[in-house]
Amino acid sequence: MTLIALVDCNNFYVSCERVFNPRLEGRPVVVLSNNDGCVVARSNEAKTLKIPAGCPYFQCEKLLRDNNGTALSSNYELYGDMSKRVMQILAQSAPAIEQYSIDEAFLDLGQCHIRDARAYLADVKRRVWTQTGIPVSAGVSLTKTLAKVANRTAKTSGQGVSVLLDRVQVDQVLSALPVEDVWGIGYRTGSRLAALGIRTALDFAERPAAWVRKTLGVCGERTARELRGEACIELADLRPKRKSVACSRSFGQAVSSFSDLRRALAGHLATAAAKMRSGRLAAGEVSVYLATDRYADGPQQAEYVSCTLPQESGYTPELMQAATQCLARLYRHGFRYRKLGVVLSSLCPVDAVQPCLFQKQDSRKDVLMTVMDRINARHGRNALSMACWIGDKQYAMRREKLSPRYTTCWDEIPVAMAVDHAGDLR
């Protein structure tokens, strides 16, 4: 029997912050987007205050202050490391796992011979909590779509675990679930279905397959079948190959100098190239995006330029040379830029790169990149970098409320203090 579970971290960004700062427990907490602009994560207490997701921070700042709340900048290093720890525990709980996002994963429990699915998921929930301090919700059912529904039920019921296997119980839950909240439907399609008299997930599931296919296509039919308990969406143990890799950032303050933009570009490119090489891929095209602040006075620009490489490459200096050419074509003197991004596309496996007939191949380039990536993986991001990138403090995004990188930076690891019998700190 197919048995799929979805384990999802509760308020993940906020939960990561609370692991290392217990003073945040019980208080309204929000985590902000790049440049401390908008709310991207909320604690349950902040949700109770009716602070919506995506709310500009200046609109809720006073409300948080009046209710003993706080706002924090996004600590991506901390969240990424805590995500890896949670996923390692989940990977030990099932023979197959698909990480769906930074804070949730599908588990294939069909071959685990589980007698009590609720007890099994409760044990998974307990192990994640005791080993990481991150609270999770878990739902299990016969398909991935129904597992999503079960996980939603686990969160809203407050129990943290939900099992939807009985058809009568499944139909009861689907009858109370708005169709736009079904995984794969969304607001626009939900509005379209509501105009046709389909308002709940059960209404949608009971529609004939031929009608659903004609109205929403193959993907819509697959979702309807999944709601009826027919597994149509397989668990992807490995993610599909990337088609592109991007790194884009908004500057904390406007940048007008070409040299400053080039230094920022070098940092973005190094990040994207390392991510690409981690998948053993090489790029055939480099693109650069440059934009001014559309809300500011002065000349405006938002353009995108691409450069095709003579041969696919993962060698950062070659990619940087192409990216600099793109930047030179985009740059306009006197413009105040607020956003810069780089995209590596036309990717192919490094083993499939076709050597250039008239260009000598240098194996030392691959060796150099491998060494650089290993050093940065061991000693921290940008421990070893290109000379043209000398740091990003001048044009880094604003993170004025940033918490320490408790698990990834030696200088920011928490220090435990003990008091001896004489009352002295040790």
Side-chain angles (χ1 to χ4, degrees):
M1 179 179 69
T2 303
L3 204 61
I4 302 296
L6 177 66
V7 180
D8 182 21
C9 301
N10 300 336
N11 307 325
F12 180 60
Y13 287 2
V14 173
S15 296
C16 290
E17 300 286 356
R18 283 176 166 173
V19 169
F20 298 95
N21 188 356
R23 293 186 181 90
L24 299 177
E25 291 288 348
R27 297 172 55 194
V29 180
V30 300
V31 176
L32 304 176
S33 63
N34 293 350
N35 291 309
D36 295 341
C38 301
V39 174
V40 294
R42 303 161 293 163
S43 66
N44 289 334
E45 295 81 3
K47 295 175 183 178
T48 302
L49 293 177
K50 307 296 183 183
I51 298 176
C55 170
Y57 174 55
F58 73 88
Q59 292 184 1
C60 63
E61 183 177 7
K62 184 178 185 300
L63 180 61
L64 281 170
R65 187 169 56 250
D66 293 344
N67 289 274
N68 192 31
T70 188
L72 298 168
S73 302
S74 292
N75 192 335
Y76 299 116
E77 297 85 354
L78 174 64
Y79 309 152
D81 184 69
M82 295 300 290
S83 173
K84 291 179 182 178
R85 298 178 185 217
V86 171
M87 294 305 159
Q88 286 174 354
I89 298 171
L90 297 182
Q92 299 169 0
S93 306
I97 176 175
E98 176 192 346
Q99 183 176 347
Y100 183 65
S101 67
I102 190 173
D103 65 340
E104 61 183 323
F106 289 102
L107 309 182
D108 184 357
L109 305 181
Q111 300 177 3
C112 292
H113 306 291
I114 299 173
R115 293 184 179 181
D116 189 340
R118 184 178 298 276
Y120 187 88
L121 290 181
D123 181 65
V124 172
K125 177 181 171 70
R126 178 190 59 78
R127 283 191 284 119
V128 173
W129 169 255
T130 55
Q131 296 181 39
T132 68
I134 301 295
V136 301
S137 297
V140 64
S141 192
L142 302 175
T143 69
K144 291 176 74 172
T145 304
L146 285 177
K148 273 279 192 180
V149 175
N151 183 272
R152 179 188 177 93
T153 303
K155 288 180 178 292
T156 55
S157 67
Q159 298 178 356
V161 175
S162 175
V163 178
L164 291 181
L165 299 177
D166 180 72
R167 190 65 243 179
V168 175
Q169 184 183 14
V170 170
D171 289 347
Q172 183 180 2
V173 172
L174 294 183
S175 66
L177 180 66
V179 68
E180 63 268 19
D181 290 338
V182 174
W183 184 46
I185 298 297
Y187 176 77
R188 286 189 177 182
T189 304
S191 300
R192 180 183 172 190
L193 291 172
L196 298 173
I198 301 174
R199 301 187 181 279
T200 69
L202 184 60
D203 295 337
F204 181 64
E206 292 178 340
R207 282 298 216 179
W211 182 90
V212 176
R213 178 185 283 254
K214 182 179 179 181
T215 306
L216 298 182
V218 176
C219 293
E221 180 188 2
R222 188 181 300 138
T223 299
R225 290 182 180 274
E226 288 250 322
L227 290 174
R228 292 195 288 269
E230 181 182 343
C232 301
I233 306 175
E234 296 182 358
L235 196 72
D237 195 18
L238 295 176
R239 292 190 173 185
K241 292 292 185 181
R242 292 178 178 268
K243 295 183 179 179
S244 64
V245 178
C247 182
S248 176
R249 297 284 187 275
S250 295
F251 301 132
Q253 58 185 8
V255 178
S256 299
S257 165
F258 180 83
S259 60
D260 288 341
L261 289 171
R262 185 171 181 269
R263 284 196 291 270
L265 178 62
H268 293 2
L269 182 71
T271 299
K275 187 184 299 183
M276 177 186 68
R277 288 192 297 267
S278 68
R280 292 195 52 77
L281 298 171
E285 186 175 71
V286 178
S287 304
V288 175
Y289 172 79
L290 193 60
T292 54
D293 185 351
R294 59 179 176 174
Y295 299 107
D297 296 332
Q300 298 291 321
Q301 178 188 3
E303 292 186 72
Y304 185 94
V305 168
S306 300
C307 178
T308 301
L309 302 176
Q311 177 184 330
E312 291 86 353
S313 175
Y315 187 49
T316 300
E318 290 178 349
L319 299 174
M320 184 60 194
Q321 184 178 8
T324 302
Q325 294 175 7
C326 294
L327 180 63
R329 292 165 58 186
L330 288 170
Y331 176 74
R332 297 180 186 176
H333 180 72
F335 281 53
R336 296 173 57 80
Y337 295 103
R338 289 304 297 265
K339 188 171 184 179
L340 173 68
V342 61
V343 180
L344 305 178
S345 56
S346 298
L347 304 184
C348 74
V350 292
D351 298 334
V353 173
Q354 181 67 40
C356 182
L357 180 61
F358 301 103
Q359 184 174 349
K360 182 179 179 180
Q361 302 302 307
D362 191 348
S363 61
R364 294 177 300 175
K365 295 178 180 179
D366 295 334
V367 174
L368 176 59
M369 292 297 98
T370 299
V371 171
M372 176 180 286
D373 292 340
R374 288 178 178 176
I375 290 175
N376 287 332
R378 181 173 182 178
H379 297 284
R381 182 181 173 186
N382 299 321
L384 190 62
S385 62
M386 297 176 61
C388 60
W389 186 77
I390 57 174
D392 61 354
K393 290 185 178 180
Q394 178 181 354
Y395 42 77
M397 60 183 175
R398 290 194 309 273
R399 291 201 285 178
E400 298 173 354
K401 306 175 184 297
L402 185 64
S403 58
R405 295 164 292 178
Y406 298 103
T407 63
T408 59
C409 180
W410 286 108
D411 295 333
E412 299 176 16
I413 292 178
V415 177
M417 306 295 289
V419 180
D420 61 17
H421 295 291
D424 297 326
L425 287 177
R426 298 290 184 183

